Amino acid sequence: MTTTRLRGGRVFDPVNACNGEVRDVAMRAGRIVALDGRERVDEEIDAQGCIVLAGGIDLHSHIGGGKVNIARLLMAGHPCTPGTLATGYRYAEMGYTSVFEPAMAPSNARHAHMEMGDVPIVDHGAYVMLGNDEAFLELLSRGAQPEQLRDYVAWMVHATKALGVKVVNPAGISAFKFNQRRLDVDERHVHWQVSPRQVVAALARAVQEAGLAHPLHIHASNLGAAGNIASTLATMDALDGLPGHLTHVQFHCYGSEGPKKFSSAALQLAEALDAHPNCSIDIGQVLFGQTVTASADTMRQHPMADLARPRKAVLADIECEGGCGVLPFRYREQSYVNALQWTIGLELFLRVRDPWRVVLTTDHPNGAPFTSYPHLMRLLMDKPFRDEQLARLHPDVAAQSALREIARELSLHEIAIMTRAAPARLLGLRDRGHLAPGAAADVAVYREQADAEAMFTRAEWVFKDGEPVVRGGRVVATPVGATHFAVPAVDGGVQRLFAARGDRPLGVHPRHAVIGEDELCACCNGGRLFPWACAPRSL
């Protein structure tokens, strides 16, 4: 049994109140272990001049499923849509060891797991999309009891082997199929006569009562629309104190002030987050250049089709479940809207007081490819560099942005929270995101540099389960990543519900609907399975 010790690095481990202290980190049998300083080790690595962090965790990155492959087809060969092999390599080189797909359609679950299983090195998992599926909307419409909704949600998580639940434009994707082109938080679906507020409240309660660790993952109403801060704040209120994670909030943080009727509402959202301790966010930062937007939100992707660059798009309906819209897009520094989006995301990072409720994301590939993370980290950690970039933008934005007056620079401690400790806590991964004895030996070592972008672009060493996968910035091993999924209690009555409706859940015969653990293992290239037990909570 090999024992490896990293000696003399500066360790940043916020979970265990370690903020840059020089100390050793030891690994054995895939776990962090405590060693006596005189204890013999098999391999000792000199980490002097380096910083040592737990492996990075990306809780929102589109890496598996149908829309990802559509994006790859539309942008063949472009680095904004790397294939599965390159995805694993690039994440590992940056020191990330776990990545989570945030939008798995139930009927696409097997394919999504197979595709994630084809991404080497990093562990993975997914959130199943609910809240636009006809079965759920019908239950809600006819006044189903909360326990029925809980059992339905728990069964869908169980059947798809998801880690959590995602709602995209609550009820809006379904409403789009009935020719509604907008659905605000308190408007009613023309057919089901339910509102997004009801959908969010019911799903958040079901997730809580089913005992899922990750709060309801919410893509709110009116993505990208001027003035949508009102919808975002109303969505937070709809939770009524229940936990909720609002995703890619940069796209939901727009006011309607100023001559162009498009403005930053970052201060309003930061203040609302302070007032709603039940809520957490990830940012979905926009960065400049070519990318592709891939979303289940067909209602909002449809009006954006004319802005696609290059001019091509795919809009698809997933029968009885949701939708899919994929549009190439180029964010430009001299575009007033794009420049303002860039500043809004950075303002949010820097205005929110509690880093434990903020996760660093670009909503890959929607705001920018995940490979842009090191650049984003430098923007957040280096005020002069940020000011240089701000000066290059559309002159109205550069002159008026509140970002000019924000002096805050994030510390390495705060970066470790936003990219390691906070996502692990929000996902309920108790043995990830920190370096205490017993934790998984997922460790990233970076050669310390003044330029944060250079430092975080390529790790000096990365260990996955205690084994080196990156050495000197180069991938040296490609193990199969593990799959994380939740194991809620399941009520057999849900199967009778499908039978009564004449449904084929997940698009297959009912006896094939549930993905078994043996099948999941096969889907995921034989990788290990990490089932996380749920602790049902009553309200």
Side-chain angles (χ1 to χ4, degrees):
M1 193 179 298
T2 302
T3 301
T4 302
R5 178 162 53 208
L6 302 170
R7 183 179 286 283
R10 287 214 302 144
V11 176
F12 290 86
D13 182 9
V15 173
N16 298 294
C18 186
N19 187 13
E21 290 86 351
V22 174
R23 65 177 181 85
D24 299 347
V25 174
M27 298 168 278
R28 180 192 295 138
R31 294 281 159 178
I32 304 294
V33 294
L35 293 181
D36 183 285
R38 295 164 294 180
E39 190 170 342
R40 183 179 175 279
V41 298
D42 299 288
E43 182 178 19
E44 185 156 281
I45 295 170
D46 183 2
Q48 292 184 73
C50 296
I51 63 169
V52 180
L53 292 79
I57 300 172
D58 193 344
L59 104 174
H60 187 109
S61 180
H62 296 282
I63 61 165
K67 66 184 174 302
V68 177
N69 281 332
I70 294 171
R72 288 169 178 149
L73 287 169
L74 287 181
M75 302 298 294
H78 196 281
C80 69
T81 53
T84 53
L85 182 66
T87 295
Y89 272 59
R90 298 293 88 79
Y91 265 116
E93 288 165 351
M94 295 191 307
Y96 276 74
T97 53
S98 300
V99 187
F100 294 87
E101 163 58 50
M104 178 172 68
S107 60
N108 191 227
R110 283 175 168 82
H111 172 261
H113 282 299
M114 291 176 74
E115 190 158 7
M116 289 186 290
D118 203 44
V119 176
I121 307 171
V122 296
D123 293 347
H124 52 266
Y127 322 138
V128 63
M129 287 192 296
L130 301 175
N132 283 284
D133 44 319
E134 301 298 288
F136 176 83
L137 292 173
E138 183 179 345
L139 284 170
L140 190 61
S141 178
R142 60 181 173 85
Q145 293 300 307
E147 56 267 23
Q148 289 179 282
L149 298 173
R150 175 204 63 206
D151 291 343
Y152 174 79
V153 167
W155 187 89
M156 293 297 287
V157 169
H158 161 68
T160 61
K161 293 298 180 284
L163 184 64
V165 174
K166 167 86 171 289
V167 60
V168 176
N169 189 356
I173 303 169
S174 172
F176 181 74
K177 301 174 187 181
F178 290 87
N179 210 32
Q180 284 182 267
R181 292 297 179 260
R182 177 185 170 92
L183 190 68
D184 211 344
V185 177
D186 290 302
E187 291 183 89
R188 291 192 175 274
H189 187 299
V190 68
H191 178 73
W192 295 114
Q193 290 299 303
V194 299
S195 69
R197 180 182 294 273
Q198 291 173 280
V199 172
V200 168
L203 279 175
R205 176 171 183 157
V207 165
Q208 177 82 349
E209 291 188 342
L212 300 180
H214 186 45
L216 178 64
H217 201 90
I218 306 167
H219 164 141
S221 308
N222 296 317
L223 178 141
N228 65 8
I229 184 62
S231 300
T232 304
L233 300 181
T235 300
M236 295 172 79
D237 289 337
L239 291 164
D240 196 24
L242 289 171
H245 180 84
L246 280 76
T247 191
H248 44 62
V249 290
Q250 179 280 133
F251 290 106
H252 302 271
C253 197
Y254 306 152
S256 54
E257 288 74 38
K260 299 185 186 295
K261 306 299 181 186
F262 188 83
S263 58
S264 170
L267 179 58
Q268 286 176 262
L269 184 55
E271 290 176 343
L273 196 63
D274 284 342
H276 290 80
N278 57 308
C279 292
S280 56
I281 61 173
D282 64 77
I283 301 297
Q285 177 68 38
V286 158
L287 296 168
F288 300 111
Q290 180 68 56
T291 191
V292 57
T293 66
S295 174
D297 195 348
T298 41
M299 177 182 273
R300 294 304 307 155
Q301 288 287 70
H302 177 262
M304 297 294 292
D306 286 343
L307 300 177
R309 295 292 184 276
R311 291 293 298 275
K312 50 187 177 180
V314 174
L315 296 168
D317 170 35
I318 303 174
E319 185 178 4
C320 300
E321 279 190 10
C324 174
V326 183
L327 315 173
F329 198 84
R330 186 177 303 121
Y331 293 103
R332 297 178 296 112
E333 291 176 335
Q334 292 306 306
S335 159
Y336 177 86
V337 170
N338 297 164
L340 194 60
Q341 290 176 304
W342 181 87
T343 63
I344 288 169
L346 296 176
E347 282 183 58
L348 285 167
F349 274 116
L350 297 167
R351 285 189 185 276
V352 174
R353 298 176 189 175
D354 183 2
W356 287 93
R357 292 192 287 140
V358 183
V359 177
L360 186 146
T361 66
T362 59
D363 186 19
H364 166 79
N366 290 286
F370 69 83
T371 49
S372 304
Y373 287 176
H375 178 70
L376 173 55
M377 291 174 191
R378 185 178 181 189
L379 287 169
L380 296 170
M381 299 177 73
D382 187 339
K383 164 74 169 165
F385 178 71
R386 187 165 70 233
D387 288 343
E388 287 175 15
Q389 307 308 302
L390 180 63
R392 295 165 49 181
L393 305 189
H394 186 287
D396 291 347
V397 173
Q400 299 168 17
S401 173
L403 191 61
R404 295 181 308 157
E405 310 306 322
I406 299 177
R408 181 182 177 188
E409 295 177 325
L410 296 190
S411 65
L412 284 168
H413 182 76
E414 290 169 314
I415 291 293
I417 293 173
M418 292 181 179
T419 61
R420 273 89 174 159
R425 177 179 291 183
L426 287 167
L427 293 171
L429 308 180
R430 294 181 294 276
D431 64 347
R432 318 275 147 162
H434 67 94
L435 297 171
D442 292 355
V443 184
V445 182
Y446 302 90
R447 185 67 59 188
E448 193 158 10
Q449 302 178 52
D451 181 341
E453 182 171 357
M455 178 169 63
F456 284 113
T457 294
R458 287 189 180 273
E460 188 71 17
W461 289 85
V462 179
F463 295 85
K464 184 78 192 71
D465 299 311
E467 297 298 322
V469 293
V470 170
R471 182 185 295 122
R474 297 175 62 87
V475 172
V476 295
T478 56
V480 177
T483 303
H484 295 270
F485 61 98
V487 186
V490 176
D491 187 284
V494 177
Q495 291 280 23
R496 294 191 292 274
L497 165 69
F498 287 124
R501 286 172 47 89
D503 280 354
R504 296 171 67 86
L506 278 63
V508 298
H509 191 282
R511 70 169 167 264
H512 302 306
V514 175
I515 301 173
E517 291 195 11
D518 287 345
E519 183 183 4
L520 181 65
C521 184
C523 283
C524 297
N525 264 338
R528 291 182 302 158
L529 303 183
F530 287 134
W532 290 93
C534 296
R537 299 180 289 274
S538 331
L539 300 180

